Amino acid sequence: NIQGVIFDLDGVLTDTAELHYQAWQKLADEEGIPFNRVANEALRGVSRRASLMLIIGNRRYSEEQIQEMMERKNRYYVELLKNMTCDDLLPGAIALLDELRQAGIKIAIGSASKNARTVIERLGIADKVDAIADGYSVKQPKPAPDLFLYAAKLLGTEPAQSVVVEDAAAGIEAALAAGMWAVGIGPVERVGAAHVVLPSLAGVKWADIRSQLHN
Ligand code: B16
Ligand code: MG
């Protein structure tokens, strides 16, 4: 029986991927590094440092320069977050959160982002979640299971009784490695390894997901 649901943040409850993209693009332009929306797709669910490494490729930078670029990108991103409101919740997100709470199921956020708490506040869903695991919670990023195991621990639910809702391939991998049920949001090419694949949360009822998890 499922007792807890762990939601990824970026790409599942809200589309911060676009804001991350704008911030990385600005940095890449300033550094004269080619970058575009297609390249940005590979950064979905990937930590800030690993994202920068993918962007710079084999260009040589000192550790100091890398730190400065990470900080600069984050300043641009945090600036963009100031315009975020509850209107930036993706369709179906609030309805599902409310339905889960009604059903007595515990809810956590499991995000790689160090800005997750700010995003949750801006979206106005802080009082709808029971626990937050974010970019500060564990050392090993997704696809390691650590973040989701940490979230389940906060909720007091066993991995086998926990569901992860994720839009990134690395996130699905992390959920499976944690021994949890995985619901993938997006195309099969990206999240096909999940137990259940949905195009988005729009119109999604908890009963539909539960019945597909064969428990
Ligand atoms: P920050 P998620 C991830 O969040 C994003 O998908 C990814 O693009 C970003 O680089 C990462 O968080 C780190 O974010 O720079 O704010 O610490 O999908 O795990 O909610
Ligand atoms: Mg995500």
Side-chain angles (χ1 to χ4, degrees):
N1 230 6
I2 304 301
Q3 291 176 347
V5 177
I6 304 165
F7 287 92
D8 172 51
L9 191 57
D10 297 340
V12 171
L13 298 180
T14 185
D15 192 17
T16 36
E18 173 62 23
L19 305 183
H20 280 295
Y21 163 68
Q22 288 174 22
W24 283 128
Q25 184 71 67
K26 188 166 153 95
L27 179 87
D29 289 349
E30 287 168 353
E31 293 298 318
I33 303 173
F35 185 67
N36 55 36
R37 273 175 203 284
V38 178
N40 187 63
E41 275 302 299
L43 310 184
R44 219 172 248 277
V46 174
S47 73
R48 194 183 308 167
R49 193 187 180 88
S51 297
L52 180 60
M53 292 306 150
L54 287 172
I55 291 168
I56 63 181
N58 53 19
R59 288 171 189 80
R60 290 191 157 271
Y61 288 100
S62 68
E63 177 56 29
E64 205 179 316
Q65 289 172 309
I66 287 169
Q67 287 298 336
E68 185 280 324
M69 286 192 282
M70 282 165 58
E71 281 160 30
R72 195 179 348 149
K73 181 270 178 176
N74 195 53
R75 278 203 306 279
Y76 299 152
Y77 179 64
V78 168
E79 194 57 37
L80 291 167
L81 286 182
K82 290 183 180 156
N83 302 320
M84 183 175 241
T85 68
C86 58
D87 291 338
D88 293 300
L89 277 159
L90 287 170
I94 279 286
L96 187 58
L97 290 175
D98 287 343
E99 197 195 352
L100 287 168
R101 171 142 295 185
Q102 284 280 314
I105 290 168
K106 294 257 181 275
I107 299 169
I109 301 295
S111 169
S113 176
K114 289 187 165 156
N115 297 294
R117 279 166 203 274
T118 308
V119 173
I120 289 163
E121 286 293 332
R122 300 241 35 116
L123 294 174
I125 55 168
D127 58 352
K128 295 185 188 289
V129 304
D130 301 296
I132 299 171
D134 64 13
Y136 294 104
S137 301
V138 296
K139 283 209 193 90
Q140 293 278 9
K142 306 168 191 176
D146 305 37
L147 186 76
F148 294 141
L149 290 171
Y150 180 85
K153 199 176 224 171
L154 291 178
L155 293 181
T157 60
E158 291 297 322
Q161 295 168 336
S162 308
V163 176
V164 169
V165 186
E166 253 290 349
D167 71 310
I172 300 296
E173 210 181 304
L176 299 178
M180 299 178 180
W181 295 97
V183 175
I185 304 296
V188 172
E189 302 79 66
R190 194 170 78 212
V191 294
H195 298 95
V196 176
V197 175
L198 303 167
S200 76
L201 291 181
V204 169
K205 292 264 178 291
W206 170 234
D208 304 335
I209 297 178
R210 205 180 40 188
S211 67
Q212 287 188 67
L213 295 176
H214 34 73
N215 68 105

